[in-house]
């Protein structure tokens, strides 16, 4: 978990809140110096601060949500693994010559049962981020994921995937190793697996790089996460030919959890602690665990064939069009 | 009027001779090869399937002509022509998506970026989907996803091979996540087709990129590509920006993919129909082959050398 003793990283829209909190501290110090009792007033101001935080975070614009989703302290896959599992063995390698640190996977004990967990992994600091390629997975990452999912299917372990990537890696090496093929293969094969698959967008869901571990029986998403066909920056530079139009693109793309619930793509929206998941990672983890268990229990009731059929139908029904008689 | 005068008059009437030239090209009588710049009489070019007679460059072919090139005359049976795109996100960039759709539909005469249907290729029944790059860059939204999925489902139910001619810039941003999810939807349908041990051959033409490459384009049992077609996941510009270095010249071409093992063969357009026919016949169940073979032996009862018979069957 991100430690709380470090200096918090604040987003620009949190400014009024920071100012208010600073004033509360100032008053408190002054009162102590002058030995005046202002505890009532301070209590009032503190209540106001909580209220303000709630107001700010309940009315975030898509661009602001994206900032929360990309927050450097936002809990990552390995943070959640640590918080929600009792045992964890990380496994490495795609058996084709690569081990991608941007996509991690392993076997865990989750509420008493064995599961396979996979997820994009961003770094905690610059050095870590470089090693993890900022959570942008290479073909080797998707192939490692597939290898572990096959393992899960063979040993009848449910699969939990965590999405948190700006997108799949777009370097020369990625093209050479078949980034398109690696993702495509996962999309098809994930429909074939018998075990339950639960996918949670914990931060950024960036396009095909996210979908490459995103074919699932249930799609869960944290409140301030985003899931999008293209990053607002890419979309703005392609459609507006102007990257500064990213906020308009963020709005137009309908990428927030609320939008996706409305479009019927999302099955479960996970509420975040006030101030975002990074403000209280343990609380966010508890919400995640509780919801994963509930959905897993539902999926346990179904036969393999029923689950596969339902998974197919879930994706089959996505799309909006008009059908005119011909 | 001498020929010289004619030229002089013409130059007078049209001082910017380049514009004049382009008008003629626009008229469609002549087509200029984008590779060698040679002008060819369009009808000759069409007769050669839009492959430049001079340099062999494969010019762009849209869905209507592609269907005509691949299928036996009179066998095309289009599917789901009533499916029309709409604007579920009320998307607006510099122009609203609804306006863009309407304008593109008027300009191209197409409803969306794909045509799907059933037909016969060298007498072999198949399901054929052809993407059309002139419709918003062949981008994949809900209609493209739904039409492909229905076509593949029908092919699975009726045990037909599927051929998809790809030409697309990827997912259609104006339909947001609905577009992205079409990648999964089509891949799911292909999984069911595959489970029935049915053949799927994508043909990658210029350009095949983004979400199409990361889904059905790369899921073929056998993957064919046209010469020099651009095929890749990320756009060349994006890769260049990511790396800040020059890329190899053949980067993301069909030849590059062949070299790295991601396509089975590069096939000249003029050979495409024949190659598809050959591949589909090679995958026909033994029973079907038997019945064909017995027909053949009946007509070829004088041939007793098996090798000759085999050659004849291959040619058939």
């Amino acid at each position: 978990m991100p430690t709380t003793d470090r200096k918090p990283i604040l987003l620009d829209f949190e400014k009024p809140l920071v100012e208010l909190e600073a004033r509360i501290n100032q008053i408190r110090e002054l009162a102590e110096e002058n030995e005046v009792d202002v505890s009532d007033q301070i209590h009032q101001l503190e209540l106001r601060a909580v209220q303000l935080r709630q107001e700010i975070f309940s009315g975030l614009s898509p661009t602001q949500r994206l900032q929360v989703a990309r927050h450097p302290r936002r809990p990552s896959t390995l943070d959640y693994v640590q918080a929600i599992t009792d045992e964890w063995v990380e496994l490495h390698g795609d058996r084709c010559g690569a081990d991608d640190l941007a996509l991690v996977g392993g076997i865990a004990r989750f509420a008493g049962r064995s599961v396979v967990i996979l997820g994009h992994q961003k770094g905690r600091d610059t050095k870590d981020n470089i090693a993890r390629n900022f959570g942008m997975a290479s073909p080797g990452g998707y192939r490692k994921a597939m290898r572990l999912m096959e393992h899960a299917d063979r040993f009848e372990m449910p699969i939990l995937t965590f999405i948190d990537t700006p997108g799949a890696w777009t370097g020369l090496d990625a093209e050479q190793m078949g980034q398109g093929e690696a993702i495509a293969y996962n999309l098809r094969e994930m429909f074939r697996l018998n075990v339950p698959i639960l996918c949670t967008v914990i931060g950024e869901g960036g396009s095909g790089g996210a979908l490459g571990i995103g074919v699932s029986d249930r799609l869960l998403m944290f409140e301030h996460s985003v899931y999008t066909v293209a990053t607002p920056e890419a979309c703005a530079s392609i459609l507006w030919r102007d990257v500064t139009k990213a906020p308009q693109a963020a709005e137009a793309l309908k990428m927030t959890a609320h939008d996706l619930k409305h479009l019927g793509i999302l099955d479960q929206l996970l509420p975040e602690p006030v101030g975002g998941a990074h403000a209280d990672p343990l609380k966010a983890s508890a919400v995640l665990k509780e919801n994963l268990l509930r959905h897993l229990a539902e999926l346990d009731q179904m036969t393999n064939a029923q689950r596969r059929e339902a998974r197919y139908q879930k994706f089959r029904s996505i799309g909006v069009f008009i059908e005119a008689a011909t | 009027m001498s020929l010289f005068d004619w030229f002089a008059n013409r130059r007078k009437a049209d001082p910017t001779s380049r514009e004049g030239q382009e008008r003629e090209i626009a008229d469609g009588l002549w087509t200029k090869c984008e590779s060698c710049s040679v002008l060819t009489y369009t009808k000759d070019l069409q007769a050669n399937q839009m492959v430049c007679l001079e340099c062999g460059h494969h010019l762009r072919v849209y869905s209507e002509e592609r269907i005509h090139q691949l299928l036996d005359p009179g066998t095309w049976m289009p599917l789901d022509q009533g499916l029309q795109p709409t604007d579920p996100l009320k998307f607006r960039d510099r122009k609203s998506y609804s306006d863009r759709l309407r304008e593109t539909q008027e300009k191209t005469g197409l409803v969306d970026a794909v045509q799907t249907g059933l037909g016969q290729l060298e007498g072999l029944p198949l399901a054929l989907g052809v993407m059309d790059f002139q419709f918003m860059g062949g981008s994949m939204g809900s209609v493209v996803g739904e039409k492909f999925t229905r076509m593949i489902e029908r092919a699975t139910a009726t045990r037909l091979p599927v051929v998809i001619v790809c030409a697309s810039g990827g997912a259609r941003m104006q339909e947001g996540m609905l577009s992205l999810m079409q990648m999964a939807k089509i891949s799911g349908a292909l999984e069911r087709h595959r489970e029935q041990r049915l053949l799927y051959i994508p043909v990658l033409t210029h350009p095949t990129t983004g979400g199409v490459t990361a889904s059905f384009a790369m899921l073929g049992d056998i993957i064919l590509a046209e010469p020099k077609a651009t095929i890749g996941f990320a756009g060349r510009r994006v890769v260049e920006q990511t790396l800040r270095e020059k890329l190899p010249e053949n980067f993301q071409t069909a030849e590059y993919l062949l070299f790295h093992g991601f396509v089975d063969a590069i096939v000249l357009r003029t050979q495409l129909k024949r190659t598809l026919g050959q591949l589909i016949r090679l995958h026909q169940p033994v029973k079907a082959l038997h019945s064909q073979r017995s027909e053949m032996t009946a007509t070829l009862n004088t041939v007793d050398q098996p090798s000759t018979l085999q050659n004849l069957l291959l040619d058939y």
Side-chain angles (χ1 to χ4, degrees), chain B residues 40-91:
Chain B
T40 311
Y41 192 46
T42 305
K43 277 195 178 148
D44 290 346
L45 204 55
Q46 276 167 345
N48 200 39
Q49 307 196 5
M50 299 304 281
V51 176
C52 178
L53 295 156
E54 205 64 35
C55 70
H57 178 71
H58 285 52
L59 281 85
R60 195 161 271 160
V61 164
Y62 297 124
S63 53
E64 204 61 41
E65 193 162 353
R66 181 72 73 169
I67 292 163
H68 175 74
Q69 286 174 6
L70 289 179
L71 294 187
D72 303 338
T75 61
W76 175 242
M77 205 184 92
L79 294 171
D80 305 305
Q81 285 175 298
L83 287 188
Q84 292 169 14
T86 171
D87 182 9
L89 308 187
K90 304 276 166 274
F91 195 98

